[in-house]
Amino acid sequence: MRFDIITIFPEIFSEVFDFGIVRRAVETALIQINVHDLRDFTFDRHRQVDDRPFGGGAGMVMKPEPLFRAVEAVIGDESDANVLLLSPQGRLFDQATAAKYAKEQRLLLICGRYEGIDERVVENLITEEISIGNYVLSGGEIPAMVVVDAITRLIPGALGCEQSAERESFSNGLLDYPQYTRPADYRGKSVPEVLISGNHAEIERWRRRKAIEKTLRRRPELIRDRILSESEQRELESVLKNIDEAETNKGT
Ligand code: 9D3
């Protein structure tokens, strides 16, 4: 996978991509990340990338010429390239979107700044607009990092230990079960007995149950939207039955 990023702040990417899984993916050539400075595609003395909005109003708008030149320089004559714009108007980025793009050979990410970008860029260059959530950020750079990180983890070999990928795809759609490590007793707070029992079938069942309980309590929409395996369905029914019994006993 080759990522190209177009931004007016190229420097902020180097540190972030220089650690952990993304760094290793670059080192093993699973991915390549090229960051391009939008100002390199300006021709004027002030290297201007923004201008005042037609029709008036506050704030500045990103000019079309540098963005057209940058995109054309980066994708060349590849007409089917994926050109994503990080923007508050975009479709919400989720794990399924990450998985879809993880199958691609190349992604070009454009980071918006200011109040927005000239609509002619959106209409003529962009394949998809993506937002990472319903909150206001200062630009598309942090969202671009989020997108690169989420996609890279899904490229086969990126996690190294294949068990992690397996666990991730298994639990995909449910929140994680609680995890513990040594010491077994810390300041009088102990680790659940079952995890020390060595009974692997019981441990698996406990984890499934905890994941379902936690998801149901915090993110019920995830359960509603997800197809459960047979064992998860059994565990869910048992959790719901317990809740139901607790409700019934309240009055007594
Ligand atoms: C929706 C707010 N806009 C109304 C006038 C102004 C505006 C705010 C922030 C326009 C651009 C931005 C910069 N944000 C992004 O470029 C952005 C973003 C975000 O703010 N939240 C979640 N995902 C993304 S992706 C890109």
Side-chain angles (χ1 to χ4, degrees), residues 86-88 112 114-115 130-133 135-140 143:
L86 288 313
S87 126
Y114 312 109
E115 287 307 297
I130 286 179
S131 159
I132 62 158
Y135 34 78
V136 181
L137 301 170
S138 311

Side-chain angles (χ1 to χ4, degrees), residues 85-174:
L85 173 66
L86 288 313
S87 126
Q89 276 73 50
R91 200 173 56 80
L92 220 48
F93 185 71
D94 62 9
Q95 193 66 15
T97 313
K100 178 179 88 175
Y101 285 120
K103 297 196 182 83
E104 298 290 338
Q105 290 298 310
R106 282 191 67 167
L107 286 183
L108 170 53
L109 306 177
I110 300 179
C111 308
R113 276 274 156 176
Y114 312 109
E115 287 307 297
I117 79 172
D118 189 286
E119 190 66 17
R120 289 166 291 187
V121 173
V122 182
E123 283 178 357
N124 296 286
L125 296 177
I126 303 299
T127 344
E128 187 168 12
E129 269 183 274
I130 286 179
S131 159
I132 62 158
N134 300 325
Y135 34 78
V136 181
L137 301 170
S138 311
E141 282 76 12
I142 290 172
M145 294 171 195
V146 167
V147 166
V148 168
D149 190 86
I151 291 173
T152 298
R153 301 174 55 79
L154 294 174
I155 295 173
L159 295 186
C161 153
E162 286 312 302
Q163 231 205 324
S164 306
E166 209 175 289
R167 201 183 73 82
E168 217 156 293
S169 72
F170 156 77
S171 66
N172 185 3
L174 291 181

Side-chain angles (χ1 to χ4, degrees), residues 5-15 17 34-40 47 141 145:
I5 300 172
I6 296 174
T7 171
I8 60 166
F9 297 123
E11 304 89 351
I12 73 178
F13 289 90
S14 40
E15 291 265 350
F17 290 149
N34 304 315
V35 182
H36 310 270
D37 187 346
L38 184 62
R39 287 188 204 281
D40 290 346
R47 313 228 296 161
E141 282 76 12
M145 294 171 195

